Amino acid sequence: AQSVTQPDIHITVSEGASLELRCNYSYGATPYLFWYVQSPGQGLQLLLKYFSGDTLVQGIKGFEAEFKRSQSSFNLRKPSVHWSDAAEYFCAVGAAYGSSNTGKLIFGQGTTLQVKP
Amino acid sequence: NAGVTQTPKFQVLKTGQSMTLQCAQDMNHNSMYWYRQDPGMGLRLIYYSASEGTTDKGEVPNGYNVSRLNKREFSLRLESAAPSQTSVYFCASTGKRNQPQHFGDGTRLSIL
């Protein structure tokens, strides 16, 4: 079955500390992957995407993610967290090619990030 | 840049009432989607429209209907609302199938 798992429901880090949010996927076709961020009461904003090529992708707000096909993972990282990064983060996967590419995405359950001053 | 616009932003219904959630995008996107977001469950796809004139069921379609009115608009209808449909509903669109989806700000729906 196709699925996305974000193992950490809630993470708390101190401001200035590094951050890694985990994402594991199970997908039969060649995947393309996204990370979105959602602030309270808002819609989802795209942080970054992976479609093909370089497995380390850079996004907005200083975030990056690394695609590891062998581990079926697409973890999000940031070297130094700011208080404004407190939000909920979603990993999503879709089909990159072929008839299975309907544009549909499967989302993980989300990880809530709290930032301590 | 309006992007994806959802109306209303908030709504309270009584069980058994009907209503339509509206979604419009101004990016000339082909594909549009309706999701519901519930705590601890991420976003789940209700229905989608890969192109104008087509609609298909997603993961949780029961109790909902959709209409792709034209290329810009994609509405979601609850014919007989149930408390289990209390949720936050998001509409999204994309121009190409391997490109990011753009999201509206959501409709917060409570059914009593």
Side-chain angles (χ1 to χ4, degrees):
Chain A
Q2 300 169 347
S3 64
V4 177
T5 301
Q6 295 179 240
D8 305 304
I9 295 173
H10 193 107
I11 284 183
T12 300
V13 300
S14 298
E15 190 169 16
S18 64
L19 172 69
E20 182 171 31
L21 302 182
R22 296 182 290 164
C23 173
N24 296 99
Y25 67 90
S26 173
Y27 206 76
T30 302
Y32 65 103
L33 296 141
F34 302 99
W35 275 99
Y36 284 89
V37 60
Q38 183 183 32
S39 298
Q42 301 296 313
L44 277 71
Q45 180 185 20
L46 179 71
L47 281 177
L48 47 79
K49 70 171 185 176
Y50 171 79
F51 182 58
S52 64
D54 193 346
T55 56
L56 183 64
V57 294
Q58 303 296 320
I60 62 171
K61 304 183 181 185
F63 285 92
E64 67 178 26
E66 186 171 13
F67 173 58
K68 294 185 177 180
R69 186 184 300 275
S70 62
Q71 298 178 19
S72 297
S73 69
F74 188 55
N75 294 348
L76 182 71
R77 300 193 293 250
K78 186 170 185 178
S80 178
V81 169
H82 188 264
W83 64 266
S84 60
D85 293 325
E88 190 162 18
Y89 292 79
F90 292 94
C91 179
V93 64
Y97 300 105
S99 60
S100 56
N101 183 353
T102 60
K104 295 190 296 182
L105 297 180
I106 299 172
F107 284 83
Q109 304 93 321
T111 298
T112 300
L113 173 66
Q114 182 179 2
V115 180
K116 294 189 300 184
Chain B
N1 290 338
V4 179
T5 303
Q6 292 184 235
T7 55
K9 294 189 182 304
F10 302 93
Q11 185 70 48
V12 179
L13 294 177
K14 295 181 179 179
T15 298
Q17 288 185 315
S18 63
M19 82 160 294
T20 300
L21 280 62
Q22 306 287 351
C23 174
Q25 51 90 9
D26 62 2
M27 296 172 283
N28 200 36
H29 284 171
N30 291 318
S31 302
M32 299 184 73
Y33 309 84
W34 275 106
Y35 296 91
R36 61 178 289 172
Q37 182 180 25
D38 302 291
M41 304 190 74
L43 277 75
R44 293 181 292 168
L45 184 65
I46 305 171
Y47 271 93
Y48 68 102
S49 171
S51 60
E52 186 179 358
T54 69
T55 61
D56 286 287
K57 296 178 179 179
E59 181 184 355
V60 288
N62 291 346
Y64 305 95
N65 286 300
V66 290
S67 295
R68 184 74 183 266
L69 304 172
N70 47 56
K71 191 171 186 179
R72 291 187 63 249
E73 299 172 286
F74 188 40
S75 63
L76 178 72
R77 183 162 179 82
L78 287 70
E79 291 290 352
S80 179
S84 61
Q85 294 177 305
T86 293
S87 188
V88 181
Y89 292 85
F90 287 99
C91 178
S93 70
T94 186
K96 295 181 180 180
R97 293 173 183 175
N98 58 4
Q99 293 300 313
Q101 292 183 11
H102 296 256
F103 285 82
D105 287 338
T107 294
R108 284 145 187 85
L109 182 61
S110 293
I111 299 162
L112 308 177

